[in-house]
Amino acid sequence: MAVNILIIEDESAIARFLELELTHEGYAVDKAADGREGLAMALARPYGLVLLDVMLPGLNGLEVLRRFRAESDVPVILLTARDAVMDKVSGLDMGANDYITKPFSIEELLARIRAVLRAGTAAEKRTAVLRCGKLSLDPARHAAAYGDVPLQLTYKEFSLLQTLLENRDIVQTRDMLLEKVWGYDYAGETNVVDVYIRYLRQKIDAPFGVKLIHTVRGMGYVIKGDGP
Ligand code: CA
């Protein structure tokens, strides 16, 4: 499976150049040209890495990073202007994994991408692929599939499915799932768990004609299947 990279960059010549080079290296690439669109895309799909320009229309790169980090730990490399020292410092403080200063050589960027992905892989090496029947989820690659069919999951759907699979055959209460997937400080609707369980069933149980995600009345949810 190719690693998916999202490029958030408003300068179309640079974005196009990066797309060509990264595709040539075997990465799968998506592009966004402004901060809001980029943030929405980054949250809508579990990417392997995000390249994030700092000077962006709509929402600047640091604000995109701040909001993205509230939801996701997907690696981010910032593209910063030559003299923007503060951007680099704030960017790293805010959870960027690395930065590269424009103008940069593609070789240097590719090396940094490999290093960031390697660090992520090393950290997640102990995390084996999770399975339930034909359903598989690979935390290191942020990829899920049913048999050979890749599942298109949003970031929260992916986290919820991962949590259920990590606790396969063990009932998870709504509170446990809220805490693990949405965090201690979640202050939204408490039925958000039910809503996302429904999304997962629409993407897994319904299309493949199986029943993996079970409701345990008065308790919560559990994922279990007949297979290995
Ligand atoms: Ca820019």
Side-chain angles (χ1 to χ4, degrees):
M1 272 179 289
V3 173
N4 292 309
I5 296 183
L6 175 63
I7 302 168
I8 309 179
E9 165 64 85
D10 59 314
E11 286 159 84
S12 56
I14 296 180
R16 180 74 189 133
F17 168 72
L18 289 174
E19 180 182 33
L20 287 172
E21 293 288 344
L22 294 175
T23 306
H24 181 73
E25 288 295 312
Y27 297 109
V29 173
D30 286 334
K31 288 185 301 185
D34 79 71
R36 271 178 209 290
E37 183 196 1
L39 178 64
M41 286 175 71
L43 291 173
R45 241 186 106 177
Y47 285 96
L49 182 113
V50 177
L51 290 181
L52 175 60
D53 185 32
V54 173
M55 298 290 283
L56 285 172
L59 206 60
N60 83 55
L62 293 179
E63 185 57 23
V64 171
L65 176 64
R66 192 182 67 76
R67 297 191 194 183
F68 186 55
R69 271 291 169 265
E71 303 256 335
S72 171
D73 52 8
V74 165
V76 174
I77 298 179
L78 287 179
L79 311 177
T80 67
R82 188 198 299 271
D83 300 321
V85 178
M86 275 317 292
D87 285 352
K88 293 166 196 166
V89 173
S90 335
L92 293 173
D93 278 349
M94 288 161 74
N97 299 69
D98 202 353
Y99 63 84
I100 190 162
T101 305
K102 292 177 176 179
F104 50 80
S105 75
I106 191 68
E107 288 75 19
E108 186 185 356
L109 178 62
L110 290 172
R112 283 170 187 261
I113 289 173
R114 284 193 297 268
V116 165
L117 290 176
R118 230 181 0 250
T121 309
E124 288 169 1
K125 211 160 210 164
R126 288 154 290 146
T127 315
V129 173
L130 301 163
R131 297 181 191 280
C132 183
K134 289 186 178 173
L135 177 68
S136 64
L137 181 147
D138 185 346
R141 289 185 172 276
H142 287 275
Y146 190 87
D148 296 332
V149 185
L151 300 176
Q152 302 295 326
L153 302 178
T154 66
Y155 187 78
K156 285 294 180 206
E157 289 166 358
F158 190 90
S159 304
L160 177 58
L161 184 59
Q162 181 173 346
T163 304
L164 288 169
L165 285 168
E166 283 167 351
N167 298 281
R168 198 186 139 171
D169 300 321
I170 303 167
V171 178
Q172 301 292 296
T173 66
R174 286 177 183 76
D175 283 346
M176 288 159 82
L177 292 170
L178 258 186
E179 189 176 304
K180 288 174 188 165
V181 178
W182 281 268
Y184 294 95
D185 54 351
Y186 181 75
E189 295 290 318
T190 50
N191 71 354
V192 68
V193 173
D194 308 277
V195 172
Y196 274 80
I197 289 283
R198 195 158 67 236
Y199 292 160
L200 284 180
R201 283 174 167 155
Q202 284 164 0
K203 290 184 177 182
I204 301 167
D205 288 8
F208 299 105
V210 290
K211 187 161 173 58
L212 297 179
I213 303 169
H214 301 259
T215 305
V216 181
R217 196 178 291 274
M219 290 191 68
Y221 297 101
V222 62
I223 196 162
K224 57 184 181 183
D226 310 323

